[in-house]
Amino acid sequence: MAAPLSYLGVGLDRPRVGVFEFTSCEGCQLQLVNNEATLLDFLNLIELVNFREAMSERSDDYDIALVEGSISRADEVARLKEIRTNARLLVALGSCACFGGVNQLKNRFGDLDWVKKKVYGDFPIASQEVRPLADFVAVDLMIYGCPPKKEEIEKVVTNLVVGKKVAMPKYPVCMECKANENICLFTLGEPCLGPITRAGCDAWCPNHRRGCWGCRGPAEAANVRELEAIMARHGFSREAMLDRLECFGGFSSQVAALRGQPRRPRKARSSKRS
Amino acid sequence: MKRSRTIQLNHLPRVEGHGNIHIRVQQGKVVEARWEVVETPRFFEAMLIGKLWENAPYLCGRICGICSIGHTLASIRAVENAFGIVPSEQTTTLRLLLKHMETLQSHILHLYFLAAPDFLGVGSLLALTQSHPTEVQRALRLKLLANDACDLIGGRRLHPTRTVVGGFTMLPEKAQLEHLAQRLAAAQEDLAAAADLFGGFTIPHFARETEFVSLKGDHDYPFIGGELISSDGVIKKEDEYQAMTNEYCAEGFTAKLSRLSRDSYAVGALARLNNNFGHLHPAARTVAKRLGLAPVNHNPFMANLAQLVECVHVVHDSLSLIKKLLRRKRQAPRVALKPRKGYGVGAVEVPRGILYHAYEFDQEGRIVKADCVIPTSQNHANIQHDLQALARQWAAQGQADADIELLAQMLVRAYDPCISCSVH
Ligand code: SF4
Ligand code: SF4
Ligand code: SF4
């Protein structure tokens, strides 16, 4: 008889899975049910015990927690810690969970009160700086992407179930893009972060003639200086590059190095309509 | 039976986002019935400030995972209106087709995954895989078709890649469109069966008169741009949307709320259908009649059936749109653009109701001000008022707690709320 399957010490005989969300668009979870062709097989492989968005039943007894979203309020920190205590494996699902995602763009102003006022005026609203899950709890695995590939989510969970090691590519999107024989977007006049972004999405955006905005975060040997040179050579502004680099939070240290201080937007305060 | 009881339901399941229901009954009288929205805000309207125009559709699509296509299209329309860009007829047709496929995807998801389990007495679609395997297969087939179509036209079913200001980065091939038309034609049978299934459900008996707000159709059932209308007789231009939405903040809601002629109004499939019934495809009108749905219908639970009617409409209309695309000569995928100082509004009917994006730009096309008004935030006050009226009705009838709890959940679900979207 084969030895019982396990991964990182977790016995994996039809594991109990919970799906949770914090500050997010809930798109990552949607990707789970977007796999119509294989959904029923997939659901056979696991025991879904907590998935608020799709089912009424709830249980705190689960092996794997798939957690979507970033953390931006005190009650979320408490809820995340509780999930960490209950789960044997905690998987960060998507760029919000891994890096803060688009939500972290509000951090760049370095002035939370200004941000709140801009949207809610004087109405009191609780919110804190947006952080990824790993700033509060240990994260066992990250599934990158905004959105993550639905095939990848299934593959990662399946690998966990059968006890296979889950390895994410470390090379850049350009490798996949070239393998797909796409025309490089730089020659079509559009900026692209493919040279420095972690692959694994099969060059999803360049396949559709859309530049990569770096949603999966940096590839292993990401060389931002070199990207800067490529951008300059093709006549793209530093601003266009920074817009992409700071979009999902994966390149936050590189952006901080390039940008220096957090800044207030130009014009924002002189707007007549404010 | 007169007694005191409290129903407290935190983080309501089978809805998108986080909301609570709180009902308190004393001596058979409702002292409290509250719909509470506790979702964490994301501050999109602030995060856009200072960014170049091209960030708007890219970021704003991420307001919502379920209707990312609708957000992207509303955002693109606002930018195009600000810059004075008129998209080609090909672009307009493809965008509407894409919009239709998102509507189909989202409505099927809601009808089968979120709403149907209540009517069939189970907790999730998972249970239905055992008891109703044919229906589940049908739901997955329809959803897959819609999602594949979104991939084909928008590049990706979620956070689309091909949709840009000025048009599309790439176009679908002729053969792909022909294949899509075949699948859509075949889907009509599945939708007829869906109408049989949902037509057999017992819709809770309840009505509360309210105001319905949507786009105003001139010749067609409206989805993208145009005038705004309310069932109380208000008509406004697209860029006067704030006179329709009148947003305000209230305790217990991290989303903003809206009102117009009354304390609350409703948007969504039922509002669209009530305001534009005559523009529905004849086949959709036939299904509506069969389901007992005629304007003006004030039962919020009927929104489920209105979604089904819209599924029939969008499938028929998509077939005409594809025919039109195949007939015409192919044009360039996108038009050139030049940013300019200005203000633009984009109003789009997304699955849950009318959505507005509005931006103000400086000369270089940087965002100076951004405003997004979400369908679900417009519905929150209406849900609140419905919940109060319903609780009163049930308390008077002395219904069991479990029944009240279920019906209250079904009421909120009938609005198909997208709560994280409403607290963008
Ligand atoms: S990572 Fe992207 S798809 Fe996932 S929740 Fe965040 S914004 Fe949505
Ligand atoms: S399009 Fe982007 S990902 Fe593809 S080769 Fe060019 S830079 Fe690399
Ligand atoms: S190409 Fe870039 S932006 Fe697009 S999915 Fe891949 S990593 Fe994300």
Side-chain angles (χ1 to χ4, degrees), chain A residues 95 144-149 173 176 192-194 197-207 210-217 248, chain B residues 58 62 156 161:
Chain A
S95 299
Y144 304 105
C146 178
K149 293 216 95 166
V173 171
E176 293 173 335
C192 183
L193 293 197
T197 301
R198 178 199 307 271
C201 62
D202 192 31
W204 215 348
C205 304
N207 290 348
R210 189 74 181 265
C212 169
W213 283 57
C215 81
R216 298 172 65 89
F248 296 99
Chain B
Y58 193 81
R62 270 119 181 131
R156 184 157 69 186
T161 50

Side-chain angles (χ1 to χ4, degrees), chain A residues 75-114:
Chain A
D75 59 310
E76 292 192 321
V77 179
R79 200 153 55 86
L80 175 64
K81 288 188 171 156
E82 205 182 302
I83 293 168
R84 177 68 272 188
T85 314
N86 293 341
R88 290 200 273 171
L89 272 180
L90 190 147
V91 181
L93 177 59
S95 299
C96 288
C98 296
F99 318 122
V102 290
N103 309 325
Q104 53 77 43
L105 279 171
K106 82 167 194 214
N107 297 353
R108 80 184 193 279
F109 301 113
D111 185 348
L112 203 54
D113 287 332
W114 178 85

